[in-house]
Amino acid sequence: MEDLWLQTVSILSATLRTATPLVFAAMAGMFSERSGTIDIGLEGKMLAGAFAAACVAVVTGSAWLALLGAILVGIMMGLLHGLACITYRGNQVVSGVAINIMAAGLTVVLGNAWFGRGGQTPDLAPDARFMTLRPPGWEYAYDIPIIGPVYAFVIGGHNLLVYIAFAAVPIGWWVLYHTRFGLRLRAVGEDPKVVDTAGISVTWLRYRAVIIAGILCGFAGAYLSIAQNAAFSPHMTAGRGFIALAAMVFGKWRPWPAMFACLLFGLLDAIAIRLQGVNFPGIGQVPVEAIQALPYILTVVLLAGFVGRAMAPHALGQPYVKER
Amino acid sequence: MSAASQAALPRWVDIGLMPIVNLIQALLVAGLVVLIIGVNPIDAMRIMAWGAVYDSVAISYTLYYATDFVFTGLAVAVAFHAGLFNIGGEGQAYVAGLGATLAILLLDAYLPGILLIPLGLMAAMVFGAGWAFIPAYLQAYRGSHIVITTIMFNFIAASLMVYIGSDLLRPPGDMLPSSREFGDAAHLPHVHELAALLGLKMPSTPLNLSILWAAACCVFVWIFIWRTRWGYAIRAVGLSPKAAVYAGISPQRVILIAMCLSGALAAGVALNQIIGYHHRLLLDFVAGAGFTGIAVALMGRNHPIGIVLSAVLFGALYQGGAELAFEIPTITRDMIVAMQGLVILFSGALAYMNRPWIARVYAMFNRRAILAEAT
Amino acid sequence: AEPAVVYDAGGKFDKSFNEAAYNGIEKFKKETGSNYLEFEVQADAQREQAFRKMAQRGADPIIGIGFSQESAIKKVAPEFPDIRFVIIDSVVDLPNVQSIVFKEQEGSYLVGVLAALASKTGKVGFVGGMDIPLISRFQCGYSQGAKAANPNVDVLANMTGTTPAAWNDPTRGAELAKGQFDRGVDVVFAAAGGTGTGVYQAAKDAGKLAIGVDSNQNHLQPGTMLTSMLKRVDVAVYETAKAAKESTWKPGVTVLGLAEGGVDWALDEHNKTLITDDMKAKVEAAKADIISGKVKVHDYMSDNSCPI
Amino acid sequence: MPAQPVGNAESPSAATRPAAIELRGIDKSFGAVHANKNVSLTIAKSSIHGIIGENGAGKSTLMSILYGFYTADAGEILINGKPVKIHGSHDAIAAGIGMVHQHFMLVEPFTVLENVMLGAEDGVLLRGGAGKARAELERLARDYGLNVDPDAHISDLPVGEQQRVEILKALFRHCDILILDEPTGVLTPQETDQLFQILRALNARGVTIVLITHKLREILAITDTVSVMRQGEMVATLPTKQATREHLAELMVGRKVRLELDKTKATPGEVRLSVRNLTVVDAKGVKRVDDVGFDLRAGEILGIAGVSGNGQSELLEALSGIRPLSSGGITLCDLEVSPDAPYGPAVVREYGLAHVPEDRLRLGVVTAFPAWESVVLGYHDDEEYNGRILMDRDAMTNACGKLMERFDVRPRDPELRCGNFSGGNQQKLILAREIARQPKVLVVGQPTRGVDIGAIEFIHRQLLALRDAGCAILLVSVELDEVMSLSDRILVMFQGRIVGEVDGDEADERTLGLMMANAHAQADEAA
Ligand SMILES: Nc1ncnc2c1ncn2[C@@H]1O[C@H](COP(=O)(O)OP(=O)(O)OP(=O)(O)O)[C@@H](O)[C@H]1O
Ligand SMILES: Nc1ncnc2c1ncn2[C@@H]1O[C@H](COP(=O)(O)OP(=O)(O)OP(=O)(O)O)[C@@H](O)[C@H]1O
Ligand SMILES: [Mg+2]
Ligand SMILES: [Mg+2]
C-alpha cells in the first residue's frame, strides 16, 4: 500500500519531468501556429538548442550562459524558418522538415568534431547545470505519510526549468488573451488580410511569433541537455518535438489544454518507462510500445474528428500574398 | 515578389539549372561547416566524390543506396502531384517490410523464389499502401491534415515494429529484435551473383535486383502520371482542385489513389533491404530513406528522370560519406544528413529566394543574346 | 599486418563496453608500437562494408566488438579465408574466426554481493540496457549475488528499451534510476552501455550509490560509484591482437570467467572509502568460491530463465 | 473609349467646398489586368460621393489604393489639400480614412469588441482599452443607432450586423472620411435604408462618405456627387441632381459598338432544362438562390441579367452540378435532380449539359496544363481520348489543333501553357471545348468578360450558331447589351430571386437597368 503510494508519487514527479520539454515545445508550436506559420521544426530547434546549451556549458561552465546560448540558437533557427515561410513564402512544412534534418545532422557533425565521442558532449559539473531544488525540510517531509512524498517529490524536488515551463503556460495564456500582441497574433493566424487592413504589419507579427517559438524551443533543449541530463547525446530529443506538436494539436492550439495533453503524454511515458521489461506474475510483460504509441494514436483520433473537432487557425499554412 | 517569381522562365532553367543552383548552395554551406570543423572542404569533397565511384564496389554501394531513394523519391513525388505532402514514406516502407516478412516467413518453406519473392513484394506493397490509406482516408473524408497524420503514423509504425520485432518475431535466445533468417529461396539475387553466372567476376555487395524494380517503378510512374486518365485526374487535383471538381473529378478518390500508390512505391525499400539484403526483418531498416526521399523528390522536380538523377546523387553522397568517415574520423556520416537538410531547405523552402535573381540574370543574358543576333 | 577494430553503435567513447575495447587496442599500440585501423558503425548497412573494407586494406586480425557484428562477420569472413577475424560477445563458427564470450553472470554476482552489503534500505536496483538475454544474464547473476549476501534483500530491475537505442539513452537511464530511488533503492547497477552515464548521474544527484559496468567506471562519479563490474574486453582485445602478432592466435570459442580474469570487480582510489574491509573480505570469499567451483552462478542464457 | 460629354468636370456644388480627397493620375495593374487607368478624382469635404461602375470597372482597386491596401503604380494622393504618401493602411488610418470593404475585414471567431479594438487597442494590455472601447461603442450606438452586442462572435452575426461592426471599426478610429465598397450588395432593402440613415447621420456630423455601388437607385437616393468608372477609367463626375437613371446607366454600360448580329427568330423546341422552386443556401446559411423556376427549350437562348452577386453564379454552379441544391428540383433532359438525389458535374455532362464557367482561370482550365490537356478537361474519360490503358496523346493534340483552328485561338500552339494564353484566347479555348460536342444544353457564364471586341463578336456568332443547331442555351452575363443582343428571353435576377422576365426583342437598357437596380422593390416596400 505504502509502496504503491510511493510508486504513484514517483510516477507523478516523473510525469512532470518528462512533460517539461513537451510543455516548452508545445507552447512554442502554439505561438508559431497561432500566427499562421506551421511549425514542424520543433524537434530540430529543440535539438539544436540542447546542443548549443551543452556546448556553452562545457566551455563556460555556466548554466545561465548555456541557457542563453540555447535561446540564441533557437532564435536563429526560428528566423531561418521565418525567412523561408514569411519573407520568401516557401512551403512551411518543407521548411520545418529541412530544419529537423539539418539539426539532426549538424549537431552530431559538430559535436563529434569538437569533442570526439561520436557526437556526445563531455559530462557537465553540477554548477554548469540546473540542479534539483529541494524544498525546505523535504527530508523530514519524506517521513510524513501520503502528503510528505508529494511535497518532497511532486511539488518540490525539480530543477528551475521545470517550474519555468509550467509558469510559461499561464504567461503564454495571458499574453495570448490579455495583451495587444496576443490579440493581433490570434487575428493574423485567422485572417492576415484583416490585420493588414487594420494597419498592422503581418510580416513583423509573424516574425515575432517564430522568434518566440525559437526562444521556447531553446528552453526545451537546454532542459534536456543541462538540466535533465548532464550532457548532449545525439538525437537526444528522440521525437519529443513531434509529441509536443501532437500535444499542441490535441490541445486545439490553446495553452491550458495543450499543457494537459503534455502532462497526459508525460504520464504515459513515465508509466511506459517503468513497465519496460518488468514481468508481472500471470500477465507477463505489458507491450510498452503500445503505451508509447498512444499519444500519436490519440492525436490521430482527435484529428479525425471523432472526439471533438480540432480547429486549426484558419490561415494556418498559407503565406500572405496580397495580389494574386 | 510575386511579379518576379511569376516571370516565366524556360523549362530548362526551372528543371535543369535551379536544382543545380540549389545543390551548389547546399554544398557551399556544407563546405563552410566542414571548414568550421577544421577540415579542408576541397579534400573532403574529393574524397567523397572519389569514394563514391573509385571502383566497382563503391559504384555498387552507390547504386544500392540510390535504389532506396528512387522508391521513396517516387513515393513523395506521386503524392506531390496530387497536391499532398506525404511525410510518411518512412513509416510506409517500414510497415511494408513487415508485410514482406510475414509473407515470406509463412511460405519460404514451401515455395520457390520465383513465386516467393513476387509474393513478398506484393505483400510489402499491400502493407505499404494500407499504411498510407488511413491518413489518406482521414484527409479525404474527415479533413485531417495529412502532414500531421503521416508524421504520427511514422511513430506509430516505429512502435508497432519494435513490438512485433522484439516480442513476436524474435527467435528465442536471439539478441537482436529481428525475425528469423529467411530461407534461401527468399533471397533476391544479388547483382554480383548474376554477374558470376555470366562469368563476370564482381566483388560481393548488397546491390541486388531490386534496382530493376526501381527502374520499372520509374517507367510506371512516368506513364501513370503523364499518360493515363488517373494521372491526369491526379495532376488536375494537384494543380487546381476547383477546376478538377468542375471537370467532375472527385478529389477524395484522387487522394486515396495517390496516397496508396505512394505507399506501394515506398514498399520498394522493403524489397531492397529485407528481401534483397538483410534476409530478415531488422529494426529501423529504412534508416531515414523516407526522409531522403523528400529531398530527392524536391531536387528531381517530381519527375522520374530527375528523381533517378538526384537519387543517384544522394546514393553517391551516402557511399562517399562512408568513405569520408573512414578517411577523416572528425567527419561522421551525419554530414550527409546535414546535406539532405540543406538541399531540402534550398530547393524546397527557399525556392522562391533564387527565382527572382535567376530570372533577372536570365533576362540579362537573353537581352545580350537578342542584341548579339541583332548585330 | 595491423589489426583493425570495428566498434558497435555506442561508439568508442561510450565509457563502457566499446571504450574498454578501445583501451585494449590502445594498450596494444603502446606496447608494440604497431598502428591499427578503427571504425565506428552508425548504421546496420555499414557493418558488412566496414569489415570488407578492413579486409581489403589487409588488416589482420579484424576485431568486431559486440554481438551485432555477428551477421556481418558471418558474411565477410568466408570471403577472406586467410585473414583472422574476432568477434566479442557472440559465437561465429568459422575456421578463421575467434569468438570471445564472457561469464558476465560471475562478475555480476560479485557486484551483487557488494550492492546487498552496501544497501541500508535492503533494496538494490538493476538497470539494463536493451532487453536481451545477454543483459538478463547480468541481471540474474546480480540478483543471485545480492540474495547470497542478504537473503531478504529486494532487487528492483528495469530494462531501458527493446531497441539498440536503449544502449544510448541517458535520459531514460536517469528516469529509471530516479524511479527506483523513489521506491527506496539506494544502490543501483547499470548494465546499459551509454545509458549508464545517466544512471550514475542520477545516483550522484540523489546521493545514492551506483555500480558501473564493463570498464572501470568508478572515476565517472567519484564518491557515489560503489564499484564497477569489470568485463575485461580490453584484456580480450589486447590478448587477441597480441596473439595474432605473435602468431599464437587460435580460432574457436574462448570463454572468459572469473578464473580466467575475464570478469572482476573494481577497487581503486575512487571507491576505496565506500568499500569496508568486511565487504572486501566477503566479496573476495565469494570470488574464491566461484573460482573453486564451490558456488555455481546460474547462467540465464543456458535456459533463458533465472532461478530468482 | 469615346470621351464622355460631362468628362471630369467639377460639379459646382462640390466646387464650393474644399476637397477632402484628391486623386491624381492613379494607375494600377495586376499582371496582365490593367485595373486603374490614369484615374483622377476629387471628393468634396463632408459630402456623400457615389462611385458606380460595372463589375471589374476598378472601383474596389481604386479605393483599396486610397486606403493603402494596394500601392498605386503611378499617381498621387492629396488629403485635405496636402499630398500624402500612403504606404499601408496605417498611413490611411492616420490620415483619417476608414473603409468598409466589399468583403468584410472581420476576424470570424473574434467578438465584436475584439474586432473593433484590433489595431486600436490603446496600450499594451487589453483590459484598459477594452473598457474604453465598450464605452465608445455604447456612445456610437446611441449617436447613430449602431447597436451590436459587443460580446457577440462575428460568425454568429447576420451580414447586416457584421457590416455595422465594419462601420463601427472605422468610426472607432475617428475617421472623417468613410469609404463603403458596395455596402448594400449584401443587405435587404430595409437594412439598406437603416444604413443610409446612419450614413446621413454621419454626414451631418461632417464625415465625408464615399459610397461604391452598382445601384442607381441608391446613388440617386443618397449621394451629392456621383462618379462613373468603366473598364478602369473614370469616365464622368457630376452632381447627382443633374443625373438621371438613364444617363447614368448609359455612362456605366458605355456605348459599345452594338454588334449587328444577323439574329433570326428563335424556333424553340422541347423543354431541355426545367428548374422548379430551386433554392440554394451557401455554407454561411445565406440564401443565394431563392425559389427560382424556369424552362429552357431547345433552340432558344435564355439570358439572365443582373448585377453580379445576386445569385447568378450560384445558380450556374447548381445547374452544372458543382453546388448541391437545398430544395426544389432540376430536370435535365431525362435526368431528375433533387436535393437528396446527389449528382455531379460528370453526371450532368453525360446527360448532355455543357458548362462555360464564369471563373475562367480557376475553373475553366488548369492554368499549368498545356492547351491540349485543358481542352479535354471534363471529357478526359471519353473513349475518343483513351486507349485501353493510356490516354491517346495524338488524339488530344489533334482535337486541340482542330478546335484552335475552328475558334481561331492564338497563338495556335497546343503545347502552350493555358496560363500564357490571353484572357480572350483562354475563353475561346473553353468555349471550343464545351461547344465541340454538340451539347443538348449549354450553360454560359460571362462569356466575354475581359475579351476584346473581335473575340466578343466571334463568340457571339458561335453561340447563335449553336442555338440554331438546336441547343438550349442559358446565358448569364453582367454585360447588359450582350444579354440583349443574344437572348430570346431575358430573366432578371435580384437577391437570388427572379424579379422579371422580358422578351428579347422588346428589352431595352432602361427597363432592364431598372429591374436590375430593383426599382420595383421600392414600390413593394412602399406597399
Ligand atoms: N488582387 C488582384 N489581383 C489581380 N487582379 C485583380 C485583383 N483585384 C482586382 N483585380 C482585377 O482588377 C479589375 C478591377 O477589379 P475591381 O475589384 O477593382 O473591380 P470592381 O469595380 O470593384 O468590380 P466589382 O464591382 O465586381 O467589385 C478586375 O478585372 C479584377 O479581376
Ligand atoms: N502569365 C503569362 N506568361 C506568359 N505570357 C503571358 C502571360 N499572360 C499573358 N501572356 C501573353 O501576353 C499576351 C497578352 O496577354 P493579355 O491577357 O494582356 O492579352 P489581352 O490584351 O487581354 O488579349 P485578350 O483581349 O484576348 O485578353 C498574350 O498573347 C499572352 O500569350
Ligand atoms: Mg469591387
Ligand atoms: Mg485580356
Side-chain angles (χ1 to χ4, degrees), chain D residues 60 102 181-182:
Chain D
S60 299
Q102 186 171 7
D181 189 354
E182 285 176 47

Side-chain angles (χ1 to χ4, degrees), chain B residues 229, chain D residues 379-392 395-396 437:
Chain B
R229 63 185 85 169
Chain D
Y379 304 93
H380 50 278
D381 281 337
D382 291 12
E383 59 283 347
E384 87 176 83
Y385 296 135
N386 286 279
R388 197 177 290 94
I389 306 149
L390 303 189
M391 293 185 90
D392 184 342
M396 292 188 279
R437 269 169 200 63

Side-chain angles (χ1 to χ4, degrees), chain D residues 189-258:
Chain D
Q190 296 76 3
E191 287 174 322
T192 307
D193 294 338
Q194 289 177 356
L195 173 65
F196 284 179
Q197 281 161 20
I198 294 165
L199 294 185
R200 287 203 188 81
L202 285 169
N203 185 241
R205 283 181 172 64
V207 179
T208 309
I209 290 169
V210 183
L211 175 68
I212 299 176
T213 177
H214 299 279
K215 300 174 188 163
L216 307 174
R217 169 190 155 232
E218 297 170 353
I219 291 294
L220 299 175
I222 188 169
T223 63
D224 310 325
T225 320
V226 54
S227 301
V228 186
M229 286 191 77
R230 190 196 315 146
Q231 305 198 338
E233 300 185 42
M234 185 64 63
V235 293
T237 298
L238 62 160
T240 313
K241 294 184 211 61
Q242 300 171 16
T244 65
R245 252 180 214 156
E246 297 70 11
H247 185 195
L248 288 177
E250 212 171 271
L251 285 169
M252 215 168 111
V253 176
R255 291 209 178 287
K256 287 205 185 130
V257 277
R258 199 49 130 70

Side-chain angles (χ1 to χ4, degrees), chain A residues 61-279:
Chain A
S62 150
W64 291 102
L65 287 179
L67 179 60
L68 193 66
I71 291 175
L72 288 180
V73 168
I75 292 178
M76 272 151 53
M77 305 285 270
L79 287 176
L80 180 62
H81 192 49
L83 188 73
C85 304
I86 305 170
T87 304
Y88 289 115
R89 301 173 169 88
N91 181 320
Q92 304 177 354
V93 174
V94 175
S95 170
V97 172
I99 284 175
N100 287 336
I101 298 184
M102 277 192 297
L106 287 178
T107 48
V108 184
V109 171
L110 295 176
N112 188 61
W114 290 338
F115 308 105
R117 322 162 165 243
Q120 188 125 12
T121 62
D123 287 348
L124 296 170
D127 55 0
R129 298 173 54 205
F130 289 96
M131 301 300 286
T132 310
L133 308 171
R134 293 294 174 198
W138 67 282
E139 50 280 82
Y140 316 111
Y142 189 90
D143 306 329
I144 307 167
I146 312 304
I147 52 156
V150 178
Y151 173 73
F153 299 121
V154 182
I155 300 164
H158 301 291
N159 62 64
L160 185 61
L161 294 185
V162 176
Y163 298 105
I164 295 182
F166 287 93
V169 176
I171 295 174
W173 169 81
W174 180 79
V175 167
L176 209 50
Y177 295 100
H178 291 280
T179 68
R180 177 174 64 191
F181 173 69
L183 180 72
R184 296 178 171 189
L185 191 73
R186 285 179 290 135
V188 81
E190 290 296 333
D191 191 345
K193 236 183 154 112
V194 176
V195 173
D196 192 359
T197 53
I200 307 162
S201 161
V202 173
T203 309
W204 174 223
L205 251 179
R206 289 190 164 170
Y207 260 104
R208 275 180 286 174
V210 293
I211 289 172
I212 293 176
I215 294 174
L216 286 162
C217 285
F219 272 98
Y223 173 81
L224 287 178
S225 64
I226 67 171
Q228 195 180 16
N229 297 293
F232 172 88
S233 48
H235 314 294
M236 80 185 305
T237 44
R240 287 183 181 82
F242 293 106
I243 295 234
L245 190 73
M248 179 203 64
V249 174
F250 202 76
K252 305 183 177 181
W253 289 267
R254 302 201 310 277
W256 290 108
M259 182 196 74
F260 286 116
C262 292
L263 285 170
L264 171 64
F265 295 171
L267 176 67
L268 289 174
D269 196 33
I271 294 173
I273 291 179
R274 281 164 175 69
L275 291 183
Q276 180 66 62
V278 179
N279 268 300

Side-chain angles (χ1 to χ4, degrees), chain B residues 9-24 301 357-358 361-362:
Chain B
L9 288 167
R11 281 181 63 80
W12 68 267
V13 175
D14 250 332
I15 63 180
L17 184 58
M18 287 282 212
I20 295 175
V21 172
N22 299 141
L23 182 63
I24 292 172
R301 291 295 185 268
W357 69 261
I358 289 185
V361 173
Y362 173 77

